[in-house]
Amino acid sequence: MSTAVDHQQQASAGSDPSVEWWALAPDDAVAKAETDQARGLSEAEVTQRRSTYGPNALQSAPPPSIWKIALSQVLELMTLMLIAVTLISLLIGQVTTAIIVAVLVLFNVVTGTRQEVKARRSVDALAKLQTPKARVIRDGTLRLVDATELVPGDIVELESGDLAPADGRILRSANLETQESALTGESLPIPKGPAENTADTALADRTSMVFQNTSITRGTARVVIVETGMRTQMGRIASLLTQVGDKKSPLQLELDSLTKVLGVIAWAAVLVIVIIGFIRGQSLDELLFLATAVAISAIPTGLPVFVQSLLAWGASKLAKERAIVASLNDVETLGATSAICSDKTGTLTLNQMTVRTAWFGGESYKVTGEGYSFQGQVLGASGEALDASTLGLALSLPNDATVSADGDVVGDPTEAAIVVLGAKLGVDAEQARAQYPRLAEVPFDSDYKFMATLQRIPVQGETRLVLLVKGAPDVVLGRCTQMLGPGRDVVPVAADAATAELEGLSAKGLRTLALAARFLDDADEGRVAADPMSYVTDLVLVGIVGIVDPLRTEAKDAVDIAKAAGIEVRMITGDHAVTAGAIGAELGLGPGAVSGADLKQMSDEELSARLPDLHVFGRVTPDDKLRLVGLLQAQGSIVAMTGDAVNDAAAIKQANVGVAMGSGSEVTKQAAKLVLTDDNFATLVHAVELGRIVYSKITAYLRFQMTQLLSLIILFLAASAFSIAEGVALFPAQVLFINFFVALFAVLAIAADANPPGIMNHPPRDPKVGVVNPVSLTEWIVYGVVIFFIALVPLVWGPDTPSPTEPTASMTMSYVILGLATVLSAILMRRTPESGLLPPFAALGKILIWPVVLIVLSTELGFLQKMLGTVSLTGWQWLECIGLTLVLLVVVEGDKWLRRRRIAARRAAGVTSA
């Protein structure tokens, strides 16, 4: 079967790798590539070349097989310890114990393998989502295809924000610059163009080429693809590199260390107990039996699988909520987010420019309707609808944007807003353009900031030659000498009134656009058509419109949730600081708006000191964004930075959680750790909440697991030290039944429990405080000691004498107490410091009823009694077991009640730390 490697080998054999494309003239490069610049390749040529050159993809090491993944699970420290227990159990004739442990090993290996495969599939799904697209000309038509489908000879169009999909020779360009630091180490953008270089030009100086996976930071270009896949410059570098695996997150590293420590504790306990038994004169079989029981008690069998499963669950949940993480490790980081720097357009807003207010003929009008919907009216002060078809024509004609009835826009969003306003005045822009064709035009240019078109349109009952102008108000107003008055008559321009209107609209956060006209004689048509720019003067000001990108309806609620969660939200935008400040106030962000120019005047120390009082940043540069993220991190914040443009990529990469928009540039998405497919700020806040939930469940599981392990280790040590049943506090099969069957349901209950109440009403966790900290250690030890004492009571003061060889009521009662305590622990320890007795209980009840049933059956059914070494208990003995188990409830809930009081007291005193 042919592989990608085979294709690359065929390509190497069938083409000349020594062609110096950068030294060829554009036409010569096209000829050498055997293509056509205008029409591109035909589909037949593409198919033939793809069979020769293979896909345009960098090869990576083949993913490990399922069997290899399974083997890595077998070689985990925890699994190896369990295998050792299985072998020892067989050696001493404990077949039942050996079978149960072997089943546990198999369960862990299968579950771990499934989660690893699932995790790899999630990453593959993200890779497919982020597969760069390319605009390619084929058969004379411009198409959008996956970059992996490109072949040498394809003609590709590039623009700012794109990633170069392959190595290409530039045929033509406009203001083209690329960022090639990933390839050459050059940090500054490099000007590019079609002019050929000399044959001996070094890679970093080949200005006539674009290279795969480098970013287009400015301008546009048309290129011919000359190398694809592993034959590109990036491919040649990739072929020299060994694959580097994913790094583990701090949480996973900490848990790995905890696992090793627990292993040491477990085998140290075994060693101590064996030594005591040896001194006591026990036989080798008895010692091995005892060692097996202790080892089973002390090994946290489900720890790695649970954490991996929960992280995978979080990633899957995020994907369903339209947020895709690049790595499972990022789920954990999300929950610690303490600062969000969000861009505005499309994230906090709808990215649908909408005219909110208009000033025509010296009178103000309110415009109703949302976004690009044609539904709405232009209402005067008294509420009457404005009906002005001529005004609608003046708005619709000097525009290139089109808006469909479904709200689909082609063209500039601001122009689309004007088209929609014209529609609300009864004018269909497309029909109007067809009915009143342009006789001349001045295209919009950022240098002069306006657009003008010449048309013949009906004005007050007669057809007039009119030059229609729209553009930046200060520019257009400066070219006006007259304006429309309230009665639609032409009067001298009231510059003060117009300026006051502009200032009022800007103060409300509205963008403004001015509309003007010049009425000409028919005899002027030829002269205007020859030089329309010279006639954009002595204009009549028609009006000014105020345009806004409306906030997403859910954005303000999301900001409120984030603020309640102790997360500082800042808005970073290219808008003017005044406009941005008005939007920030509407969102409910904190105080303080500052411009990029003001930022540059501040030192890092000054800016750091003022950051608590600055929440809106306008007219910022990429350097400003990077600086802000760095300063926040220096203050100890875990920063999430959102963006969609190529100029956001550096700050996104620097952030702890870089967040890209699904509609954003390929460069930004590849720099990010999280991609929001719906471009919605509320989705990010929900993702942070989910990250907190995942972390909360992991810590709840650790609280439960460590408590169980410590109680069993102490119980066996005490039994050995005080010669209780010759050190055998419980039979190995009983410990296994609790750890495997009963605890399994408890863990499932913790995982399935409803989201912790008020999880977004607490400040973010301190990432410097790990899962093993003084508070958690205290919980583990105190709760574990309580379980040890209540399980020890029947062994010391029970109805009979415990025996290491015969089932007894005392050992059965201790086993029942430990089983019931395991179930109760799942309820009580699922959250902290909140009470575990608060609802909801629906999911818990459905799951935890089964381990209770299993505990009862294991003491009543004959075959289970024989397997586990239990006996039937009397009603009073059951009541004693339940009563002792309730001691755990009193201690745990009492401890959490005291902690809640201490936290409330600190908050009342103004201390916010937990």
Side-chain angles (χ1 to χ4, degrees), residues 75 106 124 139 156 191 209 214 265 319 336 390 413 419 447 449 468 516 519 568 586 649 690 696 856 893 899:
L75 296 177
L106 183 63
D124 289 344
D139 287 320
V156 170
M209 299 284 293
T214 60
I265 293 174
T390 301
V419 168
D447 288 337
K449 298 181 180 178
L468 300 169
F519 300 95
E568 287 278 358
E586 189 177 352
L690 191 57
S696 172
V856 174
E893 286 299 317
R899 288 175 57 200

mmCIF file of all heavy atoms in Angstrom, residues 75 106 124 139 156 191 209 214 265 319 336 390 413 419 447 449 468 516 519 568 586 649 690 696 856 893 899:
data_model
loop_
_atom_site.group_PDB
_atom_site.id
_atom_site.type_symbol
_atom_site.label_atom_id
_atom_site.label_comp_id
_atom_site.label_asym_id
_atom_site.label_seq_id
_atom_site.Cartn_x
_atom_site.Cartn_y
_atom_site.Cartn_z
ATOM 1 N N LEU A 75 3.049 -0.986 32.119
ATOM 2 C CA LEU A 75 4.329 -0.648 32.729
ATOM 3 C C LEU A 75 4.231 0.509 33.719
ATOM 4 O O LEU A 75 5.248 0.943 34.272
ATOM 5 C CB LEU A 75 5.352 -0.306 31.635
ATOM 6 C CG LEU A 75 5.711 -1.470 30.688
ATOM 7 C CD1 LEU A 75 6.664 -1.005 29.611
ATOM 8 C CD2 LEU A 75 6.298 -2.636 31.473
ATOM 9 N N LEU A 106 -6.695 -5.580 34.697
ATOM 10 C CA LEU A 106 -7.275 -5.554 33.350
ATOM 11 C C LEU A 106 -8.174 -4.331 33.161
ATOM 12 O O LEU A 106 -8.112 -3.652 32.135
ATOM 13 C CB LEU A 106 -8.062 -6.840 33.098
ATOM 14 C CG LEU A 106 -8.678 -6.999 31.706
ATOM 15 C CD1 LEU A 106 -7.574 -7.047 30.650
ATOM 16 C CD2 LEU A 106 -9.540 -8.261 31.631
ATOM 17 N N ASP A 124 -6.599 14.995 17.320
ATOM 18 C CA ASP A 124 -6.719 14.865 15.864
ATOM 19 C C ASP A 124 -7.884 15.690 15.348
ATOM 20 O O ASP A 124 -7.804 16.313 14.291
ATOM 21 C CB ASP A 124 -6.910 13.395 15.476
ATOM 22 C CG ASP A 124 -5.641 12.578 15.689
ATOM 23 O OD1 ASP A 124 -4.565 13.199 15.836
ATOM 24 O OD2 ASP A 124 -5.732 11.343 15.733
ATOM 25 N N ASP A 139 -8.779 25.786 -12.966
ATOM 26 C CA ASP A 139 -9.695 25.907 -14.120
ATOM 27 C C ASP A 139 -10.270 27.315 -14.203
ATOM 28 O O ASP A 139 -11.434 27.507 -14.579
ATOM 29 C CB ASP A 139 -10.836 24.880 -14.021
ATOM 30 C CG ASP A 139 -10.345 23.469 -14.312
ATOM 31 O OD1 ASP A 139 -9.509 23.314 -15.230
ATOM 32 O OD2 ASP A 139 -10.785 22.534 -13.632
ATOM 33 N N VAL A 156 -1.961 30.376 -5.952
ATOM 34 C CA VAL A 156 -2.623 30.640 -4.671
ATOM 35 C C VAL A 156 -2.638 32.128 -4.381
ATOM 36 O O VAL A 156 -1.666 32.838 -4.642
ATOM 37 C CB VAL A 156 -1.898 29.878 -3.539
ATOM 38 C CG1 VAL A 156 -2.409 30.312 -2.169
ATOM 39 C CG2 VAL A 156 -2.071 28.372 -3.708
ATOM 40 N N PRO A 191 9.738 42.503 4.217
ATOM 41 C CA PRO A 191 9.065 42.919 2.972
ATOM 42 C C PRO A 191 9.343 41.909 1.864
ATOM 43 O O PRO A 191 10.470 41.415 1.721
ATOM 44 C CB PRO A 191 9.705 44.280 2.667
ATOM 45 C CG PRO A 191 10.304 44.723 3.966
ATOM 46 C CD PRO A 191 10.728 43.482 4.675
ATOM 47 N N MET A 209 10.164 34.767 -2.291
ATOM 48 C CA MET A 209 9.536 33.505 -1.919
ATOM 49 C C MET A 209 8.707 33.665 -0.643
ATOM 50 O O MET A 209 9.008 34.504 0.213
ATOM 51 C CB MET A 209 10.610 32.430 -1.660
ATOM 52 C CG MET A 209 11.493 32.089 -2.834
ATOM 53 S SD MET A 209 10.652 31.049 -4.056
ATOM 54 C CE MET A 209 10.451 29.532 -3.114
ATOM 55 N N THR A 214 4.838 30.042 7.454
ATOM 56 C CA THR A 214 5.162 31.407 7.877
ATOM 57 C C THR A 214 3.919 32.255 7.656
ATOM 58 O O THR A 214 3.060 31.925 6.836
ATOM 59 C CB THR A 214 6.357 31.981 7.101
ATOM 60 O OG1 THR A 214 6.042 32.017 5.701
ATOM 61 C CG2 THR A 214 7.587 31.126 7.318
ATOM 62 N N ILE A 265 5.204 4.637 50.759
ATOM 63 C CA ILE A 265 4.505 4.466 52.043
ATOM 64 C C ILE A 265 3.909 3.067 52.135
ATOM 65 O O ILE A 265 3.995 2.399 53.178
ATOM 66 C CB ILE A 265 3.400 5.540 52.194
ATOM 67 C CG1 ILE A 265 4.032 6.937 52.335
ATOM 68 C CG2 ILE A 265 2.511 5.227 53.388
ATOM 69 C CD1 ILE A 265 3.023 8.069 52.331
ATOM 70 N N ALA A 319 -15.737 20.693 24.053
ATOM 71 C CA ALA A 319 -15.980 20.615 22.609
ATOM 72 C C ALA A 319 -17.468 20.737 22.307
ATOM 73 O O ALA A 319 -17.867 21.401 21.339
ATOM 74 C CB ALA A 319 -15.427 19.304 22.061
ATOM 75 N N ALA A 336 -7.884 27.790 36.649
ATOM 76 C CA ALA A 336 -7.127 28.711 37.498
ATOM 77 C C ALA A 336 -7.099 30.126 36.940
ATOM 78 O O ALA A 336 -6.460 31.005 37.525
ATOM 79 C CB ALA A 336 -5.695 28.199 37.664
ATOM 80 N N THR A 390 -35.310 59.205 -1.469
ATOM 81 C CA THR A 390 -34.124 59.839 -2.034
ATOM 82 C C THR A 390 -32.953 59.715 -1.077
ATOM 83 O O THR A 390 -31.813 59.431 -1.472
ATOM 84 C CB THR A 390 -34.390 61.328 -2.343
ATOM 85 O OG1 THR A 390 -35.468 61.418 -3.265
ATOM 86 C CG2 THR A 390 -33.151 61.983 -2.939
ATOM 87 N N PRO A 413 -18.277 45.673 6.766
ATOM 88 C CA PRO A 413 -19.400 45.680 7.710
ATOM 89 C C PRO A 413 -20.029 47.054 7.908
ATOM 90 O O PRO A 413 -21.242 47.157 8.087
ATOM 91 C CB PRO A 413 -18.756 45.185 9.024
ATOM 92 C CG PRO A 413 -17.549 44.417 8.595
ATOM 93 C CD PRO A 413 -17.052 45.105 7.365
ATOM 94 N N VAL A 419 -26.203 50.046 4.112
ATOM 95 C CA VAL A 419 -27.126 49.386 3.184
ATOM 96 C C VAL A 419 -28.421 49.019 3.913
ATOM 97 O O VAL A 419 -29.534 49.203 3.397
ATOM 98 C CB VAL A 419 -26.472 48.143 2.563
ATOM 99 C CG1 VAL A 419 -27.512 47.284 1.839
ATOM 100 C CG2 VAL A 419 -25.368 48.549 1.598
ATOM 101 N N ASP A 447 -6.065 56.915 2.863
ATOM 102 C CA ASP A 447 -5.361 58.201 2.862
ATOM 103 C C ASP A 447 -6.336 59.363 2.899
ATOM 104 O O ASP A 447 -6.138 60.336 3.630
ATOM 105 C CB ASP A 447 -4.457 58.317 1.638
ATOM 106 C CG ASP A 447 -3.241 57.401 1.752
ATOM 107 O OD1 ASP A 447 -2.886 57.036 2.882
ATOM 108 O OD2 ASP A 447 -2.671 57.051 0.698
ATOM 109 N N LYS A 449 -9.924 58.836 3.150
ATOM 110 C CA LYS A 449 -10.998 58.438 4.062
ATOM 111 C C LYS A 449 -12.413 58.757 3.582
ATOM 112 O O LYS A 449 -13.279 59.110 4.375
ATOM 113 C CB LYS A 449 -10.776 59.075 5.445
ATOM 114 C CG LYS A 449 -9.484 58.634 6.108
ATOM 115 C CD LYS A 449 -9.323 59.281 7.471
ATOM 116 C CE LYS A 449 -8.014 58.842 8.129
ATOM 117 N NZ LYS A 449 -7.795 59.480 9.433
ATOM 118 N N LEU A 468 -22.340 61.544 -4.918
ATOM 119 C CA LEU A 468 -22.639 61.125 -3.553
ATOM 120 C C LEU A 468 -21.349 60.746 -2.837
ATOM 121 O O LEU A 468 -20.521 60.015 -3.386
ATOM 122 C CB LEU A 468 -23.588 59.922 -3.569
ATOM 123 C CG LEU A 468 -24.950 60.174 -4.238
ATOM 124 C CD1 LEU A 468 -25.701 58.872 -4.445
ATOM 125 C CD2 LEU A 468 -25.781 61.147 -3.398
ATOM 126 N N ALA A 516 -22.676 63.139 2.255
ATOM 127 C CA ALA A 516 -22.778 64.449 1.605
ATOM 128 C C ALA A 516 -23.053 64.257 0.118
ATOM 129 O O ALA A 516 -22.960 63.142 -0.405
ATOM 130 C CB ALA A 516 -21.501 65.257 1.828
ATOM 131 N N PHE A 519 -24.617 68.560 -6.203
ATOM 132 C CA PHE A 519 -25.542 68.544 -7.338
ATOM 133 C C PHE A 519 -24.873 69.244 -8.509
ATOM 134 O O PHE A 519 -24.409 70.387 -8.399
ATOM 135 C CB PHE A 519 -26.849 69.246 -6.948
ATOM 136 C CG PHE A 519 -27.533 68.575 -5.774
ATOM 137 C CD1 PHE A 519 -27.317 69.045 -4.474
ATOM 138 C CD2 PHE A 519 -28.366 67.487 -5.963
ATOM 139 C CE1 PHE A 519 -27.925 68.430 -3.399
ATOM 140 C CE2 PHE A 519 -28.987 66.874 -4.885
ATOM 141 C CZ PHE A 519 -28.765 67.351 -3.602
ATOM 142 N N GLU A 568 -10.593 39.219 36.830
ATOM 143 C CA GLU A 568 -10.538 40.576 36.277
ATOM 144 C C GLU A 568 -10.695 40.499 34.763
ATOM 145 O O GLU A 568 -9.914 39.819 34.092
ATOM 146 C CB GLU A 568 -9.207 41.240 36.619
ATOM 147 C CG GLU A 568 -9.075 41.646 38.083
ATOM 148 C CD GLU A 568 -9.744 42.984 38.376
ATOM 149 O OE1 GLU A 568 -10.274 43.595 37.422
ATOM 150 O OE2 GLU A 568 -9.736 43.410 39.535
ATOM 151 N N GLU A 586 -20.970 49.984 29.400
ATOM 152 C CA GLU A 586 -22.196 49.230 29.111
ATOM 153 C C GLU A 586 -22.051 47.771 29.532
ATOM 154 O O GLU A 586 -23.000 47.138 29.990
ATOM 155 C CB GLU A 586 -22.522 49.325 27.619
ATOM 156 C CG GLU A 586 -23.884 48.767 27.248
ATOM 157 C CD GLU A 586 -24.210 48.942 25.778
ATOM 158 O OE1 GLU A 586 -23.441 49.633 25.075
ATOM 159 O OE2 GLU A 586 -25.225 48.371 25.320
ATOM 160 N N ALA A 649 -1.543 37.200 17.782
ATOM 161 C CA ALA A 649 -0.919 35.888 17.952
ATOM 162 C C ALA A 649 0.164 35.885 19.019
ATOM 163 O O ALA A 649 0.261 34.951 19.824
ATOM 164 C CB ALA A 649 -0.362 35.393 16.621
ATOM 165 N N LEU A 690 -16.041 25.290 33.644
ATOM 166 C CA LEU A 690 -15.869 23.847 33.472
ATOM 167 C C LEU A 690 -14.493 23.406 33.957
ATOM 168 O O LEU A 690 -14.340 22.339 34.562
ATOM 169 C CB LEU A 690 -16.070 23.468 32.002
ATOM 170 C CG LEU A 690 -16.174 21.976 31.700
ATOM 171 C CD1 LEU A 690 -17.303 21.335 32.500
ATOM 172 C CD2 LEU A 690 -16.414 21.756 30.213
ATOM 173 N N SER A 696 -12.209 20.715 40.728
ATOM 174 C CA SER A 696 -12.929 20.437 41.965
ATOM 175 C C SER A 696 -13.194 18.949 42.120
ATOM 176 O O SER A 696 -13.048 18.385 43.217
ATOM 177 C CB SER A 696 -14.252 21.213 41.981
ATOM 178 O OG SER A 696 -15.051 20.826 43.066
ATOM 179 N N VAL A 856 -24.456 -5.396 51.868
ATOM 180 C CA VAL A 856 -25.417 -6.267 52.555
ATOM 181 C C VAL A 856 -25.355 -7.685 52.008
ATOM 182 O O VAL A 856 -25.283 -8.672 52.768
ATOM 183 C CB VAL A 856 -26.843 -5.695 52.420
ATOM 184 C CG1 VAL A 856 -27.870 -6.679 52.995
ATOM 185 C CG2 VAL A 856 -26.949 -4.341 53.110
ATOM 186 N N GLU A 893 -18.631 16.945 58.696
ATOM 187 C CA GLU A 893 -19.511 18.101 58.558
ATOM 188 C C GLU A 893 -19.199 19.159 59.624
ATOM 189 O O GLU A 893 -19.296 20.354 59.360
ATOM 190 C CB GLU A 893 -20.973 17.663 58.649
ATOM 191 C CG GLU A 893 -21.470 16.949 57.396
ATOM 192 C CD GLU A 893 -21.394 17.824 56.163
ATOM 193 O OE1 GLU A 893 -21.756 19.020 56.224
ATOM 194 O OE2 GLU A 893 -20.954 17.320 55.103
ATOM 195 N N ARG A 899 -14.763 25.555 59.242
ATOM 196 C CA ARG A 899 -14.008 26.213 58.175
ATOM 197 C C ARG A 899 -14.844 27.288 57.496
ATOM 198 O O ARG A 899 -14.327 28.362 57.152
ATOM 199 C CB ARG A 899 -13.532 25.176 57.151
ATOM 200 C CG ARG A 899 -12.396 24.295 57.691
ATOM 201 C CD ARG A 899 -12.038 23.221 56.723
ATOM 202 N NE ARG A 899 -11.663 23.768 55.436
ATOM 203 C CZ ARG A 899 -11.667 23.089 54.290
ATOM 204 N NH1 ARG A 899 -12.066 21.820 54.286
ATOM 205 N NH2 ARG A 899 -11.303 23.651 53.168
#
